[in-house]
Amino acid sequence: MDEESAEVAKQTEPVDAQDASVDPVKVPEQIINDLKPPLDFVPPKLKRKRKIVKRKLGVSSKTEKTLVRTTRKIQMKRKPALGPVDQIRLDAKYPLIPDFDVGSPLSIDTPDSCAASLVSTDSDFPDSVIGLSDDDSSYDDAEQGNEDSQSSISGYTSMSSVSVTQSRDNLSSSLSEENGQIRQIKPGEEDTRPRRAVVRVSRFSNLPPFIYFPPAEERGADLPQDLAKNMKWKLSTITPLVVREALKSTGFRLIKSKSESKDWMGMWGKHMKSIEFSSLKATQKINHFPGTFQIGRKDRLWRNIRKLEVKFGVNEFGFLPQTYVLPYDLKSLRKAWKKTSSDVPWIIKPPASARGQGIKVIHRWDQLSSARPLVVQEYKNNPYLISGTKFDIRMYVLITSFDPLKIYLYEDGLVRFASMKYSSEMTSLGDNFIHLTNYSINKHCDQYIHNEDAGACKGSKWTLKSLWNYLRNEGADVDELLMRIRDLVIKTVVSGEGVVNRLCNENLKSTYQCYELLGFDILLDTELRPWLLEVNISPSLHSSSSLDVTVKGPLIREVFNLARFHFPSKFNEEKQKEMSKILGIEQEIGSFCMDGRLYSRVLSMGEKEKIEDILLSAESGLRQEWLGSILEDLKPCDIRQLVHYEDEQTQLVNFRKIFPTPESHRYLKYMEYPRYFNLLLDAWENKYSTNRRQGIGLDFAIPLQGTLTVDACLF
Ligand code: ADP
């Protein structure tokens, strides 16, 4: 293991691998039980916004009233399943470390008779809500249309029911990956992959279990019929095949993008308008946060990074090539242009597009068009070359929360080469096969060389791991480079966190609803200095080769496992017990289904007071101020965050946590203002990063035996 991986591994070491010496955290004796919001609590501000959205979608107030009445009726019927908040006293020694393999899926088989259909015919969620994006950010998954047409790589089915539904507009076609190979299972052919229960218990007792997404070599065991019926995933027009495959082998029913069903649990789609997030249910999870276009659009990205560069200096934030956004920056561009000679190249890009569309490298003023908004950027004409060819790298970054900020960086990724040898001659600038590295462009060049071997340094596409090996063999300091890349990623995300958090506060009902996978495109110069080219908020998961599948297949499963999906809350207590039993859960789990209160955004008076006190003391900027006090007298909202945080850590395979870490507090100063939960995790990392077991287990459990109940954590 290299030094860098060893360092990260240390930060994320599984609990069980660590020492368990005791240094107790003081936890509350008194349980804050006041100010419990009702399960369907909606802040008034959100109510107003929802009304506007509904009006926009054409939901009349009469329909709305009927909907509300029906919902209430259903809720009243359902309530006994969960129990009113103050009746839930499951007597948790909370949180506890279970005795068995925590955080890992249960390895049991469920009866074959439980098979369920995969495609729902339910209807009722307007596509206008789902598919819209005002943000026009960088979606390189628009390649999806491309992907769908690749019949040669589609057509796998695991459960017999799929073949029945397959004819229905191809919803059921998907990929099977075996050692990076795409395999087609013909109708009637037996799928021999081992089956595994798609349930994973939390590392804490009394918490509901999570849905487990098995690796491609395995498939999920069938779910009890009642449960399978409710495992609905809403397709969007861009749901990639690798995503569909991961969902189907987990037992999800894929419902059509045009379906009007409101009952779905998850969706993988384009970014929506911020206000449209407010019409999502607290229990629905989607792959975006409101406002991430702040880093996903080239013009906004520049504005945000530039703001911090002005404040903190070019040494800290000078990793984005100098950019001008026209027409606003026309004057300053003209000034800069005059200072340079005529043989200095610039690159022009539409502010919100992807896949190299509309991009040109230019060197004359008259090549600029003032007709449309444009991003004009300093062209980096000293790229690091391999075999004389330019390349850029695609890194995958997962954000599971913006408050507290939690960022994970995937260890593998893609290296995309231009198809022709590099030249700095002015006459070559018009040749996109030399200067652009997008696959969508270079695949049209007859010199493009396909590479199917994930471990090989050959052809026009490599895996990132191959690049690191290559560079190490060349004597490059890859650890230093990775450190710079981590720094660049964190700073970029931080540059947009202010707006994202504001929009989350305005539009989200729970902390469960969002996660986001970002694609960072990075260019290395001759000094191996990383330059950020752009951030894609819908990175392409299109798989045109087995090399792509090798990287993206495991990636998406890990994303889902880290995003942590619960089973839908549709069943009464008895049914839940029955399901737990069928799925082989022996641990005390509280409810089997999603319990929205674990993700409540509402704070009690006591919690608010603590937060205010801590933030006040943090104003001094002295870290010792919060390190010392924040872990004393933990409130339910603290425990909720810590539980989610620690549960997430059990799911890391190829992702590495880069924020928070014991050292990441140095990034706090770049944020708009200190956020309480960032300080909480900073203190937590500071104290327990090298001994997580101590943090999550003994300290919580022992002093709380018999005193802290599940609802204490809930509210
Ligand atoms: P898109 O979103 O359309 O892919 P990018 O900003 O990623 O746009 O640019 C496309 C390609 O152009 C990159 O993959 C890279 O090869 C090249 N490129 C972009 N910006 C620069 C730059 N400032 N200097 C050198 N090459 C660049």
Side-chain angles (χ1 to χ4, degrees):
M1 190 186 297
D2 59 76
E3 217 174 275
E4 187 267 344
S5 335
E7 184 227 315
V8 185
K10 205 172 93 192
Q11 289 159 15
T12 55
E13 200 173 343
V15 178
D16 292 341
Q18 298 188 3
D19 173 40
S21 56
V22 187
D23 177 13
V25 178
K26 202 171 156 235
V27 282
E29 297 243 309
Q30 280 299 322
I31 292 156
I32 316 295
N33 244 347
D34 54 350
L35 281 183
K36 291 173 202 154
L39 288 176
D40 54 356
F41 174 83
V42 182
K45 209 168 171 185
L46 202 53
K47 264 188 187 161
R48 269 201 309 280
K49 286 205 160 183
R50 266 199 204 167
K51 259 191 193 159
I52 301 169
V53 173
K54 278 179 182 155
R55 213 179 303 136
K56 261 173 101 183
L57 298 175
V59 180
S60 70
S61 53
K62 202 172 157 198
T63 329
E64 195 186 332
K65 271 182 199 153
T66 324
L67 275 174
V68 170
R69 264 203 305 277
T70 325
T71 319
R72 282 222 184 103
K73 266 190 208 159
I74 295 168
Q75 272 170 347
M76 282 175 51
K77 268 193 205 156
R78 258 188 232 147
K79 265 193 178 144
L82 208 56
V85 180
D86 44 10
Q87 283 174 17
I88 297 185
R89 279 243 169 337
L90 299 183
D91 209 355
K93 296 167 197 125
Y94 179 80
L96 283 177
I97 304 176
D99 289 332
F100 52 92
D101 189 15
V102 286
S104 49
L106 297 170
S107 215
I108 61 129
D109 268 338
T110 46
D112 262 25
S113 57
C114 307
S117 156
L118 290 176
V119 177
S120 163
T121 49
D122 292 318
S123 52
D124 187 41
F125 201 97
D127 257 6
S128 48
V129 177
I130 309 292
L132 266 189
S133 161
D134 57 328
D135 312 322
D136 291 332
S137 311
S138 297
Y139 298 110
D140 62 5
D141 226 352
E143 276 182 291
Q144 189 53 37
N146 207 347
E147 177 173 320
D148 282 347
S149 64
Q150 303 228 350
S151 54
S152 61
I153 59 165
S154 66
Y156 146 84
T157 170
S158 64
M159 296 184 190
S160 54
S161 52
V162 179
S163 50
V164 178
T165 52
Q166 209 158 21
S167 56
R168 296 196 211 164
D169 75 3
N170 222 10
L171 282 179
S172 306
S173 71
S174 62
L175 291 168
S176 168
E177 312 143 26
E178 278 174 14
N179 307 322
Q181 296 304 308
I182 301 156
R183 189 166 89 87
Q184 182 161 6
I185 296 184
K186 296 175 190 92
E189 190 190 340
E190 199 189 343
D191 184 350
T192 51
R193 290 182 297 171
R195 310 195 85 176
R196 186 194 277 258
V198 294
V199 62
R200 165 176 87 74
V201 289
S202 162
R203 85 181 334 164
F204 302 100
S205 61
N206 277 311
L207 283 195
F210 300 97
I211 296 169
Y212 173 68
F213 293 79
E217 310 78 62
E218 295 173 351
R219 60 184 171 136
D222 291 331
L223 293 166
Q225 209 147 18
D226 286 346
L227 179 59
K229 224 166 60 191
N230 286 291
M231 295 268 290
K232 293 182 198 164
W233 187 282
K234 179 142 178 127
L235 288 175
S236 79
T237 48
I238 66 153
T239 312
L241 291 179
V242 280
V243 172
R244 294 187 206 183
E245 165 50 22
L247 294 169
K248 282 196 305 187
S249 64
T250 309
F252 275 95
R253 303 170 72 200
L254 308 182
I255 60 175
K256 298 177 188 175
S257 58
K258 288 210 168 69
S259 155
E260 290 179 348
S261 172
K262 286 180 177 167
D263 241 5
W264 48 271
M265 301 161 59
M267 194 186 66
W268 185 277
K270 280 191 177 183
H271 207 285
M272 304 189 296
K273 289 185 176 179
S274 303
I275 195 168
E276 286 164 348
F277 281 81
S278 63
S279 54
L280 295 174
K281 291 181 190 171
T283 51
Q284 290 174 326
K285 225 184 216 319
I286 67 165
N287 61 319
H288 295 288
F289 287 88
T292 41
F293 57 88
Q294 287 291 335
I295 52 173
R297 278 184 61 116
K298 296 178 177 76
D299 49 357
R300 309 270 173 107
L301 174 70
W302 166 250
R303 290 256 177 272
N304 289 319
I305 301 277
R306 175 71 186 151
K307 234 192 283 175
L308 292 171
E309 189 185 305
V310 168
K311 199 165 168 192
F312 296 101
V314 69
N315 279 347
E316 293 291 331
F317 283 88
F319 50 79
L320 192 63
Q322 177 72 35
T323 303
Y324 299 87
V325 181
L326 304 189
Y328 316 102
D329 300 332
L330 193 59
K331 249 187 182 169
S332 36
L333 173 65
R334 205 184 278 274
K335 228 167 142 187
W337 199 290
K338 272 185 189 156
K339 276 192 203 155
T340 58
S341 65
S342 62
D343 56 0
V344 170
W346 295 80
I347 186 163
I348 57 173
K349 315 175 181 182
S353 74
R355 294 176 286 136
Q357 283 168 1
I359 298 195
K360 275 190 206 149
V361 186
I362 60 163
H363 68 111
R364 290 195 326 267
W365 184 262
D366 61 17
Q367 289 174 294
L368 278 174
S369 148
S370 55
R372 275 173 297 140
L374 199 63
V375 164
V376 183
Q377 193 170 68
E378 172 197 353
Y379 183 71
K380 289 285 157 200
N381 58 357
N382 59 339
Y384 191 96
L385 303 178
I386 294 182
S387 306
T389 314
K390 175 179 173 177
F391 63 90
D392 78 343
I393 58 182
R394 158 60 54 88
M395 304 211 58
Y396 297 98
V397 172
L398 175 69
I399 301 176
T400 53
S401 155
F402 269 89
D403 184 17
L405 186 58
K406 290 186 270 182
I407 313 176
Y408 301 91
L409 182 64
Y410 202 62
E411 280 192 328
D412 211 352
L414 295 171
V415 183
R416 291 104 32 120
F417 286 83
S419 40
M420 309 272 283
K421 293 224 185 290
Y422 191 72
S423 161
S424 49
E425 293 295 318
M426 289 300 113
T427 49
S428 77
L429 295 185
D431 193 337
N432 285 350
F433 295 149
I434 294 176
H435 292 280
L436 307 191
T437 51
N438 305 77
Y439 168 68
S440 334
I441 289 185
N442 286 287
K443 67 181 177 186
H444 299 298
C445 178
D446 52 14
Q447 311 245 1
Y448 186 88
I449 304 165
H450 288 274
N451 173 21
E452 299 290 323
D453 185 347
C457 296
K458 60 172 197 194
S460 302
K461 201 188 267 190
W462 298 4
T463 59
L464 202 53
K465 283 182 178 167
S466 300
L467 177 69
W468 300 152
N469 286 339
Y470 172 90
L471 290 176
R472 280 198 179 99
N473 284 338
E474 293 289 298
D477 189 347
V478 173
D479 296 338
E480 163 76 15
L481 171 60
L482 280 166
M483 210 182 68
R484 285 174 156 223
I485 290 176
R486 285 197 297 268
D487 181 66
L488 171 158
V489 168
I490 297 170
K491 285 173 175 165
T492 303
V493 174
V494 164
S495 78
E497 72 88 43
V499 179
V500 174
N501 271 317
R502 230 177 356 261
L503 292 171
C504 286
N505 290 338
E506 283 171 17
N507 296 294
L508 297 182
K509 300 180 190 80
S510 76
T511 57
Y512 180 77
Q513 293 172 291
C514 303
Y515 61 98
E516 189 143 349
L517 179 69
L518 303 169
F520 274 64
D521 289 350
I522 292 167
L523 184 79
L524 305 179
D525 68 15
T526 41
E527 307 293 312
L528 274 190
R529 180 176 169 174
W531 292 93
L532 177 64
L533 299 181
E534 64 155 347
V535 180
N536 280 281
I537 58 174
S538 269
S540 171
L541 293 178
H542 165 61
S543 300
S544 60
S545 64
S546 56
L547 183 140
D548 280 335
V549 178
T550 309
V551 174
K552 297 172 186 179
L555 167 75
I556 196 61
R557 288 169 170 89
E558 198 172 333
V559 165
F560 286 149
N561 283 327
L562 275 161
R564 303 179 316 128
F565 287 79
H566 287 293
F567 290 100
S569 46
K570 292 273 180 189
F571 311 104
N572 62 27
E573 215 168 317
E574 202 181 321
K575 196 83 192 165
Q576 292 191 46
K577 276 190 187 145
E578 192 188 309
M579 284 174 181
S580 304
K581 206 165 153 203
I582 294 178
L583 292 175
I585 300 175
E586 286 157 10
Q587 187 192 352
E588 202 185 330
I589 54 164
S591 72
F592 171 78
C593 299
M594 162 83 185
D595 185 339
R597 295 165 303 172
L598 278 168
Y599 301 89
S600 170
R601 298 174 66 87
V602 182
L603 297 169
S604 72
M605 285 306 287
E607 288 166 337
K608 280 182 188 162
E609 274 164 22
K610 180 183 174 192
I611 291 173
E612 272 169 27
D613 285 351
I614 294 288
L615 289 179
L616 211 67
S617 66
E619 263 179 20
S620 66
L622 287 176
R623 190 168 173 234
Q624 289 313 321
E625 292 289 330
W626 69 79
L627 287 189
S629 52
I630 202 165
L631 295 180
E632 291 170 10
D633 185 22
L634 286 177
K635 301 288 185 203
C637 66
D638 299 328
I639 298 175
R640 285 203 295 272
Q641 288 298 347
L642 295 173
V643 161
H644 296 321
Y645 180 60
E646 286 298 335
D647 238 335
E648 240 168 66
Q649 306 316 307
T650 63
Q651 295 310 298
L652 295 173
V653 182
N654 289 308
F655 271 108
R656 290 286 169 255
K657 177 163 62 63
I658 59 169
F659 192 99
T661 64
E663 293 80 37
S664 62
H665 56 93
R666 66 195 179 89
Y667 295 97
L668 296 176
K669 63 175 177 290
Y670 303 133
M671 295 188 183
E672 219 172 43
Y673 47 82
R675 285 180 208 285
Y676 172 82
F677 290 122
N678 286 334
L679 306 187
L680 176 74
L681 292 195
D682 177 39
W684 187 256
E685 276 294 312
N686 178 59
K687 193 159 185 180
Y688 297 114
S689 65
T690 52
N691 189 358
R692 309 201 85 87
R693 174 184 276 272
Q694 180 191 346
I696 67 158
L698 301 173
D699 299 335
F700 273 6
I702 291 174
L704 289 175
Q705 277 192 2
T707 61
L708 188 59
T709 55
V710 163
D711 52 348
C713 163
L714 297 173
F715 298 108

